Amino acid sequence: MKVEVLADTFTVCKVTDYREIDLSLPYCFTGRTDKESSLVIPTARAPRDTLAREDGWRGFRLVGQLDFSLVGILARIAALLAEAGISIFAVPTYDTDYVFLKKENFTAALQLLAENGYTLC
């Protein structure tokens, strides 16, 4: 399976509302529940006013459209990285999955994936 490295550094944050955010930007992930409104966005585009904020994330996506019937793709990646003590923040989309890691773990995570048969692009 191919893993495409994203060039940007990302911010994960909780926001009060989305009015200040251009939701049409590439790599703008939102999640809203009855308890919170969350956002993953390139740090350069992150809103100034947040309830909580964590900078310093890097990311990659799984290349290609992942059919809903496929089982265990993200679980395998999560398990490999967990065994190495590397936590992830996963964001699924309709077509594929995105995985975010703290930037200090990013190079080690990519190396581990490459050693386990993933192709980096």
Side-chain angles (χ1 to χ4, degrees):
M1 173 157 282
K2 290 184 181 180
V3 170
E4 181 182 356
V5 175
L6 305 178
D8 291 309
T9 300
F10 291 84
T11 294
V12 178
C13 55
K14 291 196 311 187
V15 296
T16 54
D17 64 62
Y18 295 110
R19 287 182 288 200
E20 184 184 336
I21 302 149
D22 182 355
L23 297 176
S24 69
L25 291 169
Y27 309 117
C28 179
F29 304 92
T30 64
R32 185 177 169 108
T33 70
D34 61 328
K35 305 252 186 225
E36 69 176 291
S37 296
S38 295
L39 176 69
V40 179
I41 193 165
T43 300
R45 302 290 190 161
R48 290 169 302 218
D49 184 28
T50 62
L51 297 171
R53 175 181 177 138
E54 192 167 327
D55 296 325
W57 294 85
R58 293 288 316 274
F60 62 83
R61 71 172 149 209
L62 304 178
V63 176
Q65 289 185 326
L66 304 180
D67 186 87
F68 288 125
S69 66
L70 297 175
V71 177
I73 293 173
L74 185 57
R76 181 169 184 254
I77 290 172
L80 282 171
L81 297 175
E83 288 175 20
I86 300 172
S87 65
I88 67 168
F89 185 86
V91 178
T93 66
Y94 190 90
D95 287 337
T96 193
D97 293 322
Y98 290 76
V99 178
F100 296 92
L101 309 100
K102 291 301 286 186
K103 64 182 176 183
E104 57 267 17
N105 297 322
F106 196 65
T107 301
L110 293 179
Q111 182 178 347
L112 182 60
L113 291 173
E115 290 168 359
N116 283 275
Y118 291 88
T119 302
L120 305 179
C121 55

